[in-house]
Amino acid sequence: MNNEELKKETNEFVVARLRLAQQLLEESDQLKGMDGYSFESEKWWFHPRHEREALVAYLLLTCFDRLGQHGRYISFTDWLNSKKGIYISERTNALSSLPSDVGSIEFASGLFEQYQDLYGVKNSFYQGIIGLPEDVKERFLKSVNLTFNPEYGMYGSNVSTPSVPLNDEKKELDLKLKYLYSKRNRFTHKLDQYHRSSSPMMSKFKFQNGSSWSAIIGDSKLINYGDLHQEHEKLTSGGAYVYSISDWPFILFETLYAAIDLPFDRTTINLKFQVQVFSDDHKFMTTYNNVDHKDLKDFSHF
């Protein structure tokens, strides 16, 4: 299979996954809003919508695996046993780079690491993001805000302390890639099925059975979609990294469609929104319910 055929096949797989993710998201919007919480449960904040949003995020994140593969995937066992010239050459280079005076376990581990660098999922995932067009990559990575909280947990779980920027672009990129890969893996390996994008708690904000997706229009601009998903990575040295995700899953859809060079408008995802619109002087607010996603747009004056 040549590069053009491989690219065509990759694009077909990504499009199929994008369509499945959109269908799941639209079906999820038929679920209950605030009434879907089990407030008597210890983990009352879990909601069926957020389980499905976690699945959508996982499906879309795995697309980066495929985008970062520069050839067909091959298992470690097949790579070791293959008689094809390209794999023989790769094995020869890998074996020659390993020291001959190490034990069998260290040697096997080193050989597997060499394979991982060529065909491992982590490498493909990272390359799928790093290889995005620069403007697309920058916009996507900005949807994950990363700060450091030096006093995290010092005053109890109910006390919020301030966080500070990292001010190290390379470290920030490395940590964001690591976090995104971890988020991808936690869904499968740790059965983590929670990601908060919609706002079912807001479904009774002003209306009975109101919409669970929310948006805000202020200064004539559509400035906010949905909820803010936040996670902490506690450090053994003290403090924690704070990851705050915004504009998901919409930015994921836009990023992947851009990666395969297909046009996409996020408002084609059929969802219902509760929209808060502020007057130009911010003294008044009007809330609209059950607004079709396709009707969300910037507008001014009321």
Side-chain angles (χ1 to χ4, degrees), residues 62-240:
T62 57
C63 291
F64 293 117
D65 303 2
R66 187 64 187 250
L67 291 173
Q69 289 177 8
H70 299 298
R72 279 192 173 276
Y73 171 78
I74 184 170
S75 70
F76 183 53
T77 300
D78 289 344
W79 183 72
L80 288 175
N81 296 319
S82 177
K83 305 300 183 184
K84 289 186 177 180
I86 184 172
Y87 301 128
I88 293 174
S89 176
E90 289 172 351
R91 288 199 307 269
T92 300
N93 291 335
L95 290 168
S96 64
S97 69
L98 297 172
S100 58
D101 57 347
V102 297
S104 57
I105 299 298
E106 291 84 354
F107 189 85
S109 178
L111 185 59
F112 183 68
E113 286 181 7
Q114 296 278 356
Y115 160 81
Q116 287 283 74
D117 287 342
L118 292 168
Y119 297 104
V121 174
K122 179 180 178 181
N123 180 63
S124 297
F125 181 85
Y126 278 31
Q127 291 303 315
I129 295 176
I130 293 171
L132 291 168
E134 198 59 35
D135 58 331
V136 176
K137 177 177 66 178
E138 181 179 358
R139 187 163 177 257
F140 170 55
L141 290 174
K142 280 185 177 179
S143 72
V144 181
N145 184 56
L146 171 59
T147 56
F148 174 66
N149 186 332
E151 299 180 323
Y152 177 75
M154 289 178 61
Y155 307 105
S157 59
N158 294 323
V159 178
S160 178
T161 54
S163 298
V164 295
L166 262 60
N167 296 322
D168 184 332
E169 290 185 5
K170 184 180 183 307
K171 184 176 182 180
E172 183 175 350
L173 174 60
D174 290 344
L175 287 170
K176 284 186 178 183
L177 290 172
K178 179 183 175 183
Y179 167 75
L180 289 167
Y181 185 61
S182 170
K183 188 168 183 64
R184 171 211 179 282
N185 287 345
R186 278 184 281 133
F187 188 90
T188 50
H189 302 315
K190 294 187 178 182
L191 305 186
D192 182 2
Q193 294 181 193
Y194 179 74
H195 182 89
R196 191 173 72 246
S197 288
S198 65
S199 308
M201 190 66 75
M202 294 290 290
S203 68
K204 289 189 177 180
F205 173 59
K206 285 204 171 183
F207 307 95
Q208 279 294 112
N209 301 317
S211 301
S212 290
W213 287 96
S214 61
I216 298 173
I217 297 177
D219 298 324
S220 304
K221 296 291 182 182
L222 190 65
I223 58 174
N224 181 52
Y225 269 88
D227 217 334
L228 182 69
H229 183 91
Q230 190 173 93
E231 297 182 44
H232 298 81
E233 179 189 349
K234 194 172 182 178
L235 306 178
T236 55
S237 56

